[in-house]
PDB file of all heavy atoms in Angstrom:
ATOM      1  N   LEU A   8     -11.889 -12.543  13.246  1.00 80.00           N
ATOM      2  CA  LEU A   8     -10.536 -13.060  13.473  1.00 80.00           C
ATOM      3  C   LEU A   8      -9.586 -11.958  13.934  1.00 80.00           C
ATOM      4  O   LEU A   8      -9.552 -10.875  13.346  1.00 80.00           O
ATOM      5  CB  LEU A   8     -10.033 -13.681  12.156  1.00 80.00           C
ATOM      6  CG  LEU A   8      -8.696 -14.400  12.177  1.00 80.00           C
ATOM      7  CD1 LEU A   8      -8.809 -15.696  12.962  1.00 80.00           C
ATOM      8  CD2 LEU A   8      -8.231 -14.688  10.752  1.00 80.00           C
ATOM      9  N   ARG A 101      24.351   9.134  -4.292  1.00 96.00           N
ATOM     10  CA  ARG A 101      25.776   8.918  -4.022  1.00 96.00           C
ATOM     11  C   ARG A 101      26.072   7.426  -3.893  1.00 96.00           C
ATOM     12  O   ARG A 101      27.048   6.924  -4.470  1.00 96.00           O
ATOM     13  CB  ARG A 101      26.167   9.635  -2.728  1.00 96.00           C
ATOM     14  CG  ARG A 101      27.629   9.473  -2.349  1.00 96.00           C
ATOM     15  CD  ARG A 101      28.016  10.382  -1.208  1.00 96.00           C
ATOM     16  NE  ARG A 101      27.416  10.014   0.058  1.00 96.00           N
ATOM     17  CZ  ARG A 101      27.401  10.806   1.129  1.00 96.00           C
ATOM     18  NH1 ARG A 101      27.948  12.005   1.071  1.00 96.00           N
ATOM     19  NH2 ARG A 101      26.848  10.413   2.264  1.00 96.00           N
ATOM     20  N   ARG A 105      28.394   5.474  -6.596  1.00 96.00           N
ATOM     21  CA  ARG A 105      29.637   4.859  -6.104  1.00 96.00           C
ATOM     22  C   ARG A 105      29.657   3.370  -6.444  1.00 96.00           C
ATOM     23  O   ARG A 105      30.657   2.847  -6.929  1.00 96.00           O
ATOM     24  CB  ARG A 105      29.726   4.986  -4.573  1.00 96.00           C
ATOM     25  CG  ARG A 105      30.092   6.329  -4.070  1.00 96.00           C
ATOM     26  CD  ARG A 105      31.610   6.480  -3.863  1.00 96.00           C
ATOM     27  NE  ARG A 105      31.870   7.619  -3.008  1.00 96.00           N
ATOM     28  CZ  ARG A 105      31.985   8.864  -3.447  1.00 96.00           C
ATOM     29  NH1 ARG A 105      31.891   9.111  -4.735  1.00 96.00           N
ATOM     30  NH2 ARG A 105      32.193   9.849  -2.599  1.00 96.00           N
ATOM     31  N   TYR A 124      21.033  17.766  -3.485  1.00 95.00           N
ATOM     32  CA  TYR A 124      19.646  18.158  -3.234  1.00 95.00           C
ATOM     33  C   TYR A 124      19.479  19.672  -3.192  1.00 95.00           C
ATOM     34  O   TYR A 124      20.340  20.403  -2.696  1.00 95.00           O
ATOM     35  CB  TYR A 124      19.210  17.555  -1.894  1.00 95.00           C
ATOM     36  CG  TYR A 124      17.971  18.191  -1.293  1.00 95.00           C
ATOM     37  CD1 TYR A 124      16.713  17.910  -1.811  1.00 95.00           C
ATOM     38  CD2 TYR A 124      18.060  19.066  -0.215  1.00 95.00           C
ATOM     39  CE1 TYR A 124      15.577  18.491  -1.275  1.00 95.00           C
ATOM     40  CE2 TYR A 124      16.930  19.651   0.333  1.00 95.00           C
ATOM     41  CZ  TYR A 124      15.691  19.355  -0.205  1.00 95.00           C
ATOM     42  OH  TYR A 124      14.568  19.939   0.329  1.00 95.00           O
ATOM     43  N   SER A 126      15.987  22.315  -2.316  1.00 91.00           N
ATOM     44  CA  SER A 126      14.574  22.296  -1.922  1.00 91.00           C
ATOM     45  C   SER A 126      13.758  23.150  -2.878  1.00 91.00           C
ATOM     46  O   SER A 126      14.258  24.143  -3.429  1.00 91.00           O
ATOM     47  CB  SER A 126      14.415  22.806  -0.487  1.00 91.00           C
ATOM     48  OG  SER A 126      15.041  24.053  -0.340  1.00 91.00           O
ATOM     49  N   VAL A 130      10.198  24.378  -8.567  1.00 91.00           N
ATOM     50  CA  VAL A 130      10.911  25.659  -8.623  1.00 91.00           C
ATOM     51  C   VAL A 130      12.384  25.410  -8.960  1.00 91.00           C
ATOM     52  O   VAL A 130      13.002  26.178  -9.701  1.00 91.00           O
ATOM     53  CB  VAL A 130      10.752  26.420  -7.289  1.00 91.00           C
ATOM     54  CG1 VAL A 130      11.563  27.689  -7.288  1.00 91.00           C
ATOM     55  CG2 VAL A 130       9.296  26.714  -7.032  1.00 91.00           C
ATOM     56  N   TYR A 208       0.042   6.865 -16.030  1.00 97.00           N
ATOM     57  CA  TYR A 208      -0.348   6.347 -17.347  1.00 97.00           C
ATOM     58  C   TYR A 208      -0.887   7.401 -18.319  1.00 97.00           C
ATOM     59  O   TYR A 208      -0.638   7.303 -19.529  1.00 97.00           O
ATOM     60  CB  TYR A 208      -1.314   5.169 -17.198  1.00 97.00           C
ATOM     61  CG  TYR A 208      -0.582   3.866 -17.014  1.00 97.00           C
ATOM     62  CD1 TYR A 208      -0.071   3.501 -15.771  1.00 97.00           C
ATOM     63  CD2 TYR A 208      -0.326   3.030 -18.091  1.00 97.00           C
ATOM     64  CE1 TYR A 208       0.644   2.338 -15.605  1.00 97.00           C
ATOM     65  CE2 TYR A 208       0.382   1.857 -17.939  1.00 97.00           C
ATOM     66  CZ  TYR A 208       0.866   1.517 -16.685  1.00 97.00           C
ATOM     67  OH  TYR A 208       1.578   0.355 -16.526  1.00 97.00           O
ATOM     68  N   ASN A 212       0.586   7.743 -22.030  1.00 96.00           N
ATOM     69  CA  ASN A 212      -0.306   7.726 -23.192  1.00 96.00           C
ATOM     70  C   ASN A 212      -0.140   8.968 -24.057  1.00 96.00           C
ATOM     71  O   ASN A 212      -0.204   8.899 -25.287  1.00 96.00           O
ATOM     72  CB  ASN A 212      -1.748   7.598 -22.691  1.00 96.00           C
ATOM     73  CG  ASN A 212      -2.757   7.664 -23.817  1.00 96.00           C
ATOM     74  OD1 ASN A 212      -3.271   8.733 -24.159  1.00 96.00           O
ATOM     75  ND2 ASN A 212      -3.041   6.522 -24.417  1.00 96.00           N
ATOM     76  N   HIS A 250       0.628 -11.589  -2.819  1.00 95.00           N
ATOM     77  CA  HIS A 250      -0.553 -11.140  -3.576  1.00 95.00           C
ATOM     78  C   HIS A 250      -1.636 -12.211  -3.569  1.00 95.00           C
ATOM     79  O   HIS A 250      -2.819 -11.912  -3.415  1.00 95.00           O
ATOM     80  CB  HIS A 250      -0.153 -10.819  -5.021  1.00 95.00           C
ATOM     81  CG  HIS A 250       0.412  -9.451  -5.178  1.00 95.00           C
ATOM     82  ND1 HIS A 250       0.283  -8.714  -6.335  1.00 95.00           N
ATOM     83  CD2 HIS A 250       1.092  -8.666  -4.327  1.00 95.00           C
ATOM     84  CE1 HIS A 250       0.877  -7.543  -6.178  1.00 95.00           C
ATOM     85  NE2 HIS A 250       1.378  -7.494  -4.968  1.00 95.00           N
ATOM     86  N   ALA A 260     -13.243 -13.313   2.830  1.00 89.00           N
ATOM     87  CA  ALA A 260     -14.051 -12.272   3.467  1.00 89.00           C
ATOM     88  C   ALA A 260     -15.371 -12.078   2.724  1.00 89.00           C
ATOM     89  O   ALA A 260     -16.427 -11.910   3.341  1.00 89.00           O
ATOM     90  CB  ALA A 260     -13.276 -10.964   3.514  1.00 89.00           C
ATOM     91  N   ASN A 261     -15.309 -12.102   1.386  1.00 89.00           N
ATOM     92  CA  ASN A 261     -16.531 -11.917   0.612  1.00 89.00           C
ATOM     93  C   ASN A 261     -17.468 -13.122   0.708  1.00 89.00           C
ATOM     94  O   ASN A 261     -18.685 -12.977   0.763  1.00 89.00           O
ATOM     95  CB  ASN A 261     -16.195 -11.602  -0.845  1.00 89.00           C
ATOM     96  CG  ASN A 261     -15.911 -10.139  -1.058  1.00 89.00           C
ATOM     97  OD1 ASN A 261     -16.812  -9.322  -1.192  1.00 89.00           O
ATOM     98  ND2 ASN A 261     -14.635  -9.781  -1.026  1.00 89.00           N
TER      99      ASN A 261
ATOM    100  N   ASN C  34      13.207  32.360  -7.751  1.00 90.00           N
ATOM    101  CA  ASN C  34      13.404  30.914  -7.632  1.00 90.00           C
ATOM    102  C   ASN C  34      14.376  30.595  -6.513  1.00 90.00           C
ATOM    103  O   ASN C  34      14.133  29.750  -5.663  1.00 90.00           O
ATOM    104  CB  ASN C  34      13.993  30.343  -8.931  1.00 90.00           C
ATOM    105  CG  ASN C  34      12.925  29.906  -9.894  1.00 90.00           C
ATOM    106  OD1 ASN C  34      11.828  29.557  -9.496  1.00 90.00           O
ATOM    107  ND2 ASN C  34      13.244  29.921 -11.169  1.00 90.00           N
ATOM    108  N   ASN C  38      13.894  28.653  -2.766  1.00 92.00           N
ATOM    109  CA  ASN C  38      14.679  27.525  -2.251  1.00 92.00           C
ATOM    110  C   ASN C  38      15.196  27.810  -0.845  1.00 92.00           C
ATOM    111  O   ASN C  38      15.144  26.967   0.040  1.00 92.00           O
ATOM    112  CB  ASN C  38      15.890  27.240  -3.155  1.00 92.00           C
ATOM    113  CG  ASN C  38      15.477  26.790  -4.530  1.00 92.00           C
ATOM    114  OD1 ASN C  38      14.391  26.266  -4.708  1.00 92.00           O
ATOM    115  ND2 ASN C  38      16.327  27.004  -5.509  1.00 92.00           N
ATOM    116  N   THR C  42      14.003  26.172   2.858  1.00 93.00           N
ATOM    117  CA  THR C  42      14.959  25.471   3.722  1.00 93.00           C
ATOM    118  C   THR C  42      14.889  26.000   5.150  1.00 93.00           C
ATOM    119  O   THR C  42      15.098  25.243   6.104  1.00 93.00           O
ATOM    120  CB  THR C  42      16.383  25.595   3.160  1.00 93.00           C
ATOM    121  OG1 THR C  42      16.347  25.256   1.771  1.00 93.00           O
ATOM    122  CG2 THR C  42      17.333  24.658   3.861  1.00 93.00           C
ATOM    123  N   TYR C  45      12.729  24.033   7.364  1.00 89.00           N
ATOM    124  CA  TYR C  45      13.288  22.875   8.066  1.00 89.00           C
ATOM    125  C   TYR C  45      13.837  23.311   9.429  1.00 89.00           C
ATOM    126  O   TYR C  45      13.726  22.580  10.429  1.00 89.00           O
ATOM    127  CB  TYR C  45      14.418  22.223   7.268  1.00 89.00           C
ATOM    128  CG  TYR C  45      14.048  21.742   5.883  1.00 89.00           C
ATOM    129  CD1 TYR C  45      15.045  21.491   4.935  1.00 89.00           C
ATOM    130  CD2 TYR C  45      12.740  21.539   5.504  1.00 89.00           C
ATOM    131  CE1 TYR C  45      14.728  21.059   3.665  1.00 89.00           C
ATOM    132  CE2 TYR C  45      12.418  21.108   4.234  1.00 89.00           C
ATOM    133  CZ  TYR C  45      13.419  20.874   3.320  1.00 89.00           C
ATOM    134  OH  TYR C  45      13.101  20.452   2.051  1.00 89.00           O
ATOM    135  N   GLU C  97      30.452  10.900   2.734  1.00 89.00           N
ATOM    136  CA  GLU C  97      30.463   9.444   2.921  1.00 89.00           C
ATOM    137  C   GLU C  97      31.482   9.065   3.996  1.00 89.00           C
ATOM    138  O   GLU C  97      32.559   9.655   4.063  1.00 89.00           O
ATOM    139  CB  GLU C  97      30.907   8.804   1.605  1.00 89.00           C
ATOM    140  CG  GLU C  97      30.248   7.485   1.310  1.00 89.00           C
ATOM    141  CD  GLU C  97      30.638   6.969  -0.054  1.00 89.00           C
ATOM    142  OE1 GLU C  97      31.423   7.641  -0.741  1.00 89.00           O
ATOM    143  OE2 GLU C  97      30.172   5.896  -0.430  1.00 89.00           O
ATOM    144  N   PHE C 129      -9.181  -7.958   4.380  1.00 87.00           N
ATOM    145  CA  PHE C 129     -10.039  -8.999   4.952  1.00 87.00           C
ATOM    146  C   PHE C 129     -11.312  -8.396   5.541  1.00 87.00           C
ATOM    147  O   PHE C 129     -12.402  -8.959   5.417  1.00 87.00           O
ATOM    148  CB  PHE C 129      -9.261  -9.760   6.027  1.00 87.00           C
ATOM    149  CG  PHE C 129     -10.016 -10.915   6.604  1.00 87.00           C
ATOM    150  CD1 PHE C 129     -10.255 -12.058   5.849  1.00 87.00           C
ATOM    151  CD2 PHE C 129     -10.506 -10.865   7.893  1.00 87.00           C
ATOM    152  CE1 PHE C 129     -10.961 -13.125   6.369  1.00 87.00           C
ATOM    153  CE2 PHE C 129     -11.213 -11.932   8.427  1.00 87.00           C
ATOM    154  CZ  PHE C 129     -11.434 -13.065   7.669  1.00 87.00           C
ATOM    155  N   ARG C 130     -11.174  -7.218   6.171  1.00 84.00           N
ATOM    156  CA  ARG C 130     -12.324  -6.664   6.895  1.00 84.00           C
ATOM    157  C   ARG C 130     -13.243  -5.813   6.031  1.00 84.00           C
ATOM    158  O   ARG C 130     -14.450  -5.816   6.218  1.00 84.00           O
ATOM    159  CB  ARG C 130     -11.841  -5.800   8.057  1.00 84.00           C
ATOM    160  CG  ARG C 130     -11.128  -6.596   9.064  1.00 84.00           C
ATOM    161  CD  ARG C 130     -11.172  -5.993  10.447  1.00 84.00           C
ATOM    162  NE  ARG C 130     -10.297  -6.729  11.333  1.00 84.00           N
ATOM    163  CZ  ARG C 130     -10.531  -7.966  11.762  1.00 84.00           C
ATOM    164  NH1 ARG C 130     -11.618  -8.583  11.427  1.00 84.00           N
ATOM    165  NH2 ARG C 130      -9.661  -8.587  12.533  1.00 84.00           N
ATOM    166  N   ALA C 134     -17.862  -6.937  -1.859  1.00 84.00           N
ATOM    167  CA  ALA C 134     -18.526  -6.596  -3.121  1.00 84.00           C
ATOM    168  C   ALA C 134     -20.007  -6.330  -2.866  1.00 84.00           C
ATOM    169  O   ALA C 134     -20.862  -7.180  -3.104  1.00 84.00           O
ATOM    170  CB  ALA C 134     -18.347  -7.737  -4.115  1.00 84.00           C
ATOM    171  N   MET C 150      -3.627  -7.467  -9.223  1.00 94.00           N
ATOM    172  CA  MET C 150      -2.814  -8.098  -8.176  1.00 94.00           C
ATOM    173  C   MET C 150      -2.321  -9.478  -8.579  1.00 94.00           C
ATOM    174  O   MET C 150      -1.188  -9.844  -8.303  1.00 94.00           O
ATOM    175  CB  MET C 150      -3.648  -8.233  -6.888  1.00 94.00           C
ATOM    176  CG  MET C 150      -3.455  -7.072  -5.954  1.00 94.00           C
ATOM    177  SD  MET C 150      -4.516  -7.054  -4.520  1.00 94.00           S
ATOM    178  CE  MET C 150      -5.033  -8.707  -4.282  1.00 94.00           C
ATOM    179  N   GLU C 177      -1.864  -4.818 -18.933  1.00 93.00           N
ATOM    180  CA  GLU C 177      -1.059  -3.629 -19.188  1.00 93.00           C
ATOM    181  C   GLU C 177      -1.715  -2.699 -20.207  1.00 93.00           C
ATOM    182  O   GLU C 177      -1.886  -1.508 -19.974  1.00 93.00           O
ATOM    183  CB  GLU C 177       0.326  -4.064 -19.683  1.00 93.00           C
ATOM    184  CG  GLU C 177       1.381  -2.995 -19.667  1.00 93.00           C
ATOM    185  CD  GLU C 177       1.558  -2.309 -18.332  1.00 93.00           C
ATOM    186  OE1 GLU C 177       1.811  -2.997 -17.336  1.00 93.00           O
ATOM    187  OE2 GLU C 177       1.428  -1.074 -18.288  1.00 93.00           O
ATOM    188  N   ARG C 190      -7.099  10.280 -16.389  1.00 97.00           N
ATOM    189  CA  ARG C 190      -7.061  11.524 -17.158  1.00 97.00           C
ATOM    190  C   ARG C 190      -8.271  12.386 -16.836  1.00 97.00           C
ATOM    191  O   ARG C 190      -8.162  13.610 -16.709  1.00 97.00           O
ATOM    192  CB  ARG C 190      -7.012  11.224 -18.657  1.00 97.00           C
ATOM    193  CG  ARG C 190      -6.904  12.483 -19.517  1.00 97.00           C
ATOM    194  CD  ARG C 190      -6.590  12.160 -20.949  1.00 97.00           C
ATOM    195  NE  ARG C 190      -5.211  11.758 -21.100  1.00 97.00           N
ATOM    196  CZ  ARG C 190      -4.719  11.124 -22.158  1.00 97.00           C
ATOM    197  NH1 ARG C 190      -5.517  10.807 -23.164  1.00 97.00           N
ATOM    198  NH2 ARG C 190      -3.451  10.807 -22.220  1.00 97.00           N
TER     199      ARG C 190
END
Side-chain angles (χ1 to χ4, degrees):
Chain A
L8 186 70
R101 180 170 69 194
R105 284 267 197 274
Y124 163 75
S126 53
V130 176
Y208 274 80
N212 176 268
H250 277 210
N261 276 279
Chain C
N34 270 333
N38 296 336
T42 311
Y45 302 162
E97 215 175 1
F129 184 70
R130 295 206 188 290
M150 266 174 22
E177 195 54 56
R190 183 169 286 164

